[in-house]
């Protein structure tokens, strides 16, 4: 089979496979017109040390990202293991994300969430459109490491890995036992 015969995975196959890559979970926050906005985000990474840069990927359908982009500054709040409630709150379109939530304005005005492992405060440097997401590259202006908590882990669509030892990866491509 030549590479031109390959049609590539479906969205479902992408989600099932990409879920095998364990990540932390963050909440990306900003302020637009005085109103705090934010969304749960696992596609976060360090990009450059000098100058200091980070990235995250934002779905075009999300309503928070266009407002954060308009403001030009954002904070990445890295969640601890005990903060599943924050992930639920910011990872769903149900309910008001900041209703009844304590937060503090950062030096750049963005919402700092409490009891997180780390906060990255940044200015939007570049936005690259990639398929149905924007890749957002930010220039870091301040870092904070408020709490030495254990991290929240997201793996195969669930939190943590301890209870997933019996999981059998779906045989998406009919490879049987020939993984790797
Ligand atoms: C662990 C985890 C990791 C995630 N990682 C990422 C990531 O890396 N990048 C990313 O972009 N997203 C990610 N998400 C998804 C994102 O957090 C959610 O989609 C979140 O709700 C987006 O918030 P928002 O305020 O931007 O958009 P929302 O306003 O919450 O809208 C989200 C979706 O719901 C639809 N919607 C909203 N309100 C209504 C309504 N009343 N009726 C019908 N449809 C409606 C919107 O059109 C949109 O498609 C992640 C979620 C989780 C749980
Ligand atoms: N990058 C993202 O936009 C992203 C990442 C994770 C979860 N989510 C969304 O959060 C909700 C809850 O997720 P779940 O618990 O069902 O996990 P899931 O099983 O859908 O996610 C498994 C993996 O697929 C990838 N993925 C999922 N949705 C994606 C998207 N829209 N764009 C790019 N990659 C995506 C991520 O790598 C994730 O780790 C879903 O609506 C999901 O789409 C979005």
């Amino acid at each position: 089979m030549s590479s031109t015969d390959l049609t590539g995975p479906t969205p479902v196959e992408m989600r099932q496979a990409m879920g095998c890559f364990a990540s932390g979970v963050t909440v990306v926050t900003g302020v637009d017109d005085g109103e705090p906005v934010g969304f749960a985000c696992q596609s976060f990474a360090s990009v450059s040390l000098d100058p200091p840069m980070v990235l995250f990927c934002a779905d075009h359908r999300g309503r928070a990202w266009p407002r954060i982009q308009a403001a030009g500054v954002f904070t990445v709040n890295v969640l601890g293991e005990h903060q599943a409630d924050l992930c639920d709150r910011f990872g769903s379109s149900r309910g008001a994300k900041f209703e009844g939530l304590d937060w503090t304005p950062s030096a750049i005005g963005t919402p700092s969430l409490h009891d997180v492992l780390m906060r990255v405060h940044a200015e939007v440097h570049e936005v690259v459109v990639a398929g149905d997401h924007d890749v957002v590259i930010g220039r870091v202006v301040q870092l904070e490491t408020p709490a030495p908590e254990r991290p929240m882990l997201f793996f195969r669509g669930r939190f943590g890995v301890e209870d997933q030892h019996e999981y059998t990866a779906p045989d998406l491509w009919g490879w049987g036992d020939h993984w790797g």
Side-chain angles (χ1 to χ4, degrees):
M1 181 188 285
S2 76
S3 60
T4 53
D5 295 327
L6 298 175
T7 54
T10 65
V12 169
E13 290 167 342
M14 275 291 283
R15 284 171 66 160
Q16 287 178 332
M18 293 305 139
C20 299
F21 181 67
S23 74
V25 181
T26 79
V27 174
V28 177
T29 56
V31 168
D32 180 41
D33 251 345
E35 192 184 338
V37 293
F39 68 101
C41 181
Q42 58 136 206
S43 55
F44 166 69
S46 175
V47 173
S48 165
L49 299 184
D50 187 15
M53 289 178 164
V54 295
L55 70 74
F56 66 87
C57 300
D59 195 314
H60 290 158
R61 295 167 301 179
R63 294 187 296 181
W65 161 235
R67 301 184 67 185
I68 294 169
Q69 183 174 20
V73 287
F74 64 88
T75 288
V76 180
N77 300 267
V78 178
L79 299 188
E81 189 179 43
H82 60 296
Q83 294 182 305
D85 55 331
L86 280 183
C87 183
D88 290 345
R89 180 188 273 261
F90 284 96
S92 151
S93 55
R94 296 183 305 274
K97 293 182 169 73
F98 281 88
E99 196 174 284
L101 182 70
D102 285 338
W103 57 276
T104 307
S106 71
I108 55 172
T110 49
S112 288
L113 304 187
H114 296 172
D115 301 322
V116 296
L117 268 82
M118 178 180 65
R119 298 187 200 103
V120 182
H121 306 294
E123 299 168 345
V124 175
H125 172 75
E126 190 176 352
V127 178
V128 180
V129 178
D132 52 20
H133 279 56
D134 283 347
V135 181
V136 182
I137 299 168
R139 184 173 175 125
V140 179
V141 295
Q142 189 186 24
L143 294 172
E144 295 176 292
T145 50
E149 304 287 351
R150 282 163 56 92
M152 173 174 292
L153 283 184
F154 190 62
F155 178 53
R156 289 175 174 149
R158 290 159 63 185
F159 298 129
V161 292
E162 281 82 359
D163 59 344
Q164 295 197 40
H165 295 304
E166 302 304 318
Y167 181 89
T168 304
D171 185 14
L172 298 176
W173 300 282
W175 291 353
D177 293 332
H178 302 290
W179 285 79

